[in-house]
Amino acid sequence: MEKILVSRCLLGHKVRYDGGASGPFDPLAAWQAEGRVVAICPEVAGGLPTPRPPAEIPGGQGIDVWEGRAQVLTAEGEDFTSAFLDGARQALALVQRHHIRIAILKANSPSCGNLLTHDGTFSGVKVSGEGVTAALLKRHGVQVFSELELPQAAIALTQL
Ligand code: SF4
């Protein structure tokens, strides 16, 4: 059975930076019941506490963090880069262990966002780009969807 990597916050786990969750969602619950879901919160896996200060990537995107051109910083300038990288590597390890080809990651997150992230000014502005984990998984061949694209993910699953 094809497994799917899923952001823990989308499963209703209270791991968001603000101590909340972003789910659950019925399709994800159904995939959980089938035993397909492998869950991770990259930021918590990387060692960050919950709650934690929000972080963004000033002047870049997830790929820029991997290539050393940008850092993951809080509004106060605390550097979360190594924790974000470590959590993303753990997500990739799960992908490789379970031969995962589809991920459902939380939209707009500096770790999990697959199409948009915040612009690094902590002003709520979103820009095109990927978070640190999404960038790594995409470059290892994973199809990354968000909770806003669950129908598309379901179709992709049937096409594997
Ligand atoms: S968006 Fe990703 S990093 Fe943020 S709480 Fe959800 S699973 Fe964790």
Side-chain angles (χ1 to χ4, degrees), residues 67-92:
E67 295 183 357
R69 293 190 298 264
Q71 296 173 300
V72 183
L73 301 173
T74 68
E76 290 72 38
E78 190 176 359
D79 188 349
F80 282 178
T81 303
S82 64
F84 271 57
L85 293 174
D86 184 38
R89 289 189 191 100
Q90 292 185 53
L92 179 61

Side-chain angles (χ1 to χ4, degrees), residues 31-148:
W31 284 330
Q32 263 188 309
E34 293 174 0
R36 289 188 187 278
V37 169
V38 176
I40 186 169
C41 171
E43 293 175 23
V44 169
L48 294 172
T50 303
R52 53 191 173 276
E56 298 191 6
I57 307 171
Q61 294 294 330
I63 188 61
D64 300 303
V65 177
W66 285 108
E67 295 183 357
R69 293 190 298 264
Q71 296 173 300
V72 183
L73 301 173
T74 68
E76 290 72 38
E78 190 176 359
D79 188 349
F80 282 178
T81 303
S82 64
F84 271 57
L85 293 174
D86 184 38
R89 289 189 191 100
Q90 292 185 53
L92 179 61
L94 286 173
V95 159
Q96 293 174 333
R97 185 182 316 152
H98 296 283
H99 309 291
I100 288 171
R101 294 186 278 174
I102 289 179
I104 315 286
L105 302 184
K106 172 74 182 72
N108 308 326
S109 153
S111 288
C112 294
N114 68 328
L115 296 174
L116 298 172
T117 65
H118 290 92
D119 72 348
T121 64
F122 295 89
S123 58
V125 175
K126 293 172 197 155
V127 293
S128 293
E130 307 152 335
V132 173
T133 294
L136 183 67
L137 298 189
K138 282 189 184 182
R139 281 155 186 79
H140 283 80
V142 179
Q143 297 182 62
V144 180
F145 300 89
S146 78
E147 75 279 14
L148 306 175

